[in-house]
């Protein structure tokens, strides 16, 4: 009697259906500012918050989930990102003015868009968002800031879709803000923020936004493949000054370079890998520690897994 052939193992279960779009093996380097890194196992673009909530709630509990905006402060490692990457489409980018000098902004709205809407409505205090080249969702998650202000100064509440698929409104205090950090749990996705400003004139607000734009242009490598501020400022110090004093200005590893214009920016000169960029950052950290006794903390978020060594498969 012949023995039955062994049954092939079942294919791993993929994510739940989505009314928006769901793409397997999607390239992230197409929009990440460094233009490096491996693909997402799954890239999801939900149609609306209800679509996102249903999708997350139906996912296997052990499947990793993270949201990515425009990738302006992100290193995606060369081996790619396991699980699901959520990228909110333009339907999440609306900005509306509300009574009481408030703005309601979708998480996919860019900082400059929100700052401009506030200016046009005569709402002051949001000008610094002109200097944040990312989305409001990312700024809410990491307490993004610049020019002496951050999201903790503005946020009234955030609408969040939890990893379990619940749509919740969190008051600002629940986010537990500290410097470039929030208590938002892994897998939760910010979909909207309610922001509080103050009274101002359109002319004064516009002048401050122009000042911020000019200062950024003069001091930062805005036209390079970069990821924004690389390291957090240690208490009582500036990361760029520590990096400069440690002799790292212009330091290179392959096509990854410490910016000569602003030492707290890393650059991809064209052919760098994410591994090159991250290794250069670690070399900078080591040199600053040796020179000044200060351990710099990464501000750029590093996600995914390293590429397998040549000849190996995962």
């Amino acid at each position: 009697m012949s023995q039955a052939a062994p049954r092939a193992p079942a294919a791993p279960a993929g994510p739940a259906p989505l009314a928006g779009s769901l793409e397997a093996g999607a390239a992230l380097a197409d929009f990440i500012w460094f233009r490096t890194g491996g693909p997402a196992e799954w890239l999801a673009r939900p149609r609306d918050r209800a679509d996102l909530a249903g999708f997350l709630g139906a996912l296997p509990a052990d499947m990793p989930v993270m949201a990515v905006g425009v990738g302006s402060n992100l290193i995606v490692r060369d081996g790619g990102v396991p699980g699901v990457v959520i990228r909110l489409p333009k339907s999440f980018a609306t900005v509306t003015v509300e009574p009481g000098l408030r703005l309601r902004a979708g998480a996919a709205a860019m900082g400059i868009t929100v700052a401009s809407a506030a200016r046009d409505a005569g709402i002051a205090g949001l000008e610094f968002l002109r200097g944040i080249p990312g989305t409001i969702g990312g700024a809410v998650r990491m307490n993004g800031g610049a020019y002496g202000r951050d999201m903790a100064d503005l946020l009234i509440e955030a609408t969040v879709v939890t990893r379990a698929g619940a749509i919740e409104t969190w008051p600002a205090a629940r986010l537990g803000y500290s410097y470039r950090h929030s208590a938002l749990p892994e897998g939760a996705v910010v979909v909207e923020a309610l922001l509080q400003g103050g009274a101002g004139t359109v002319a004064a607000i516009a002048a401050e936004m122009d000042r911020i734009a000019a200062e950024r242009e003069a001091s930062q490598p805005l036209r390079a493949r970069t990821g924004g501020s690389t390291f957090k400022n240690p208490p009582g110090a500036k990361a760029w000054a520590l990096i400069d004093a440690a002799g790292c200005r212009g330091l290179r590893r392959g096509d990854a370079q410490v910016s000569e214009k602003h030492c707290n920016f890393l650059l991809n000169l064209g052919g760098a890998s994410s591994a090159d960029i991250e290794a250069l950052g670690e070399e900078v950290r080591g040199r600053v520690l040796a020179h000044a006794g200060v351990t710099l903390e990464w501000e750029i978020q590093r996600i995914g897994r390293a590429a397998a060594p040549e000849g190996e498969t995962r």
Side-chain angles (χ1 to χ4, degrees), residues 19-269:
S21 67
L22 184 63
E23 183 182 354
L28 298 177
D30 289 346
F31 65 88
I32 298 299
W33 278 30
F34 275 121
R35 294 296 189 266
T36 63
E41 184 177 357
W42 298 94
L43 180 63
R45 295 180 177 90
R47 184 174 61 190
D48 51 34
R49 66 178 65 178
D51 189 28
L52 175 61
F55 176 72
L56 292 182
L59 283 179
D62 60 350
M63 181 167 284
V65 172
M66 74 165 298
V68 171
V70 294
S72 58
N73 200 231
L74 195 65
I75 294 174
V76 175
R77 294 186 173 114
D78 300 305
V81 182
V84 176
V85 172
I86 306 290
R87 193 167 192 222
L88 301 180
K90 289 182 179 179
S91 57
F92 287 84
T94 57
V95 180
T96 56
V97 177
E98 298 196 351
L101 301 172
R102 294 179 171 185
L103 273 84
R104 189 173 297 275
M110 297 293 292
I112 186 173
T113 304
V114 176
S116 298
R119 175 200 62 207
D120 295 346
I123 299 175
L126 284 74
E127 296 90 342
F128 76 94
L129 292 173
R130 171 66 179 83
I132 296 180
T135 63
I136 290 300
V140 169
R141 172 171 278 281
M142 69 172 291
N143 191 20
Y147 304 97
R149 302 207 79 197
D150 52 33
M151 291 301 293
D153 299 320
L154 304 179
L155 187 71
I156 298 170
E157 63 187 31
T159 304
V160 174
V161 179
T162 70
R163 176 61 182 83
I167 301 173
E168 299 179 351
T169 299
W170 287 28
R174 187 174 174 185
L175 274 80
Y177 276 146
S178 58
Y179 177 61
R180 302 295 177 264
H181 176 78
S182 78
L184 197 68
E186 191 172 338
V189 181
V190 177
V191 294
E192 189 177 79
L194 182 62
L195 308 176
Q196 178 70 62
T201 67
V202 173
I205 295 166
E208 175 63 6
M209 287 177 61
D210 289 345
R211 183 194 71 80
I212 288 171
E215 186 173 324
R216 288 187 71 228
E217 180 70 35
S219 64
Q220 299 177 14
L222 301 182
R223 288 163 178 74
R225 294 183 178 183
T226 185
S229 294
T230 306
F231 301 107
K232 299 177 183 179
N233 289 325
K238 294 290 187 181
W240 76 264
L242 292 169
I243 295 166
D244 199 15
C248 297
R249 184 182 293 270
L251 183 67
R252 286 184 63 168
R253 179 178 289 247
D255 255 6
Q257 182 185 43
V258 176
S259 171
E260 295 183 348
K261 191 171 187 179
H262 192 311
C263 294
N264 199 25
F265 283 65
L266 302 182
L267 309 179
N268 173 10
L269 299 181

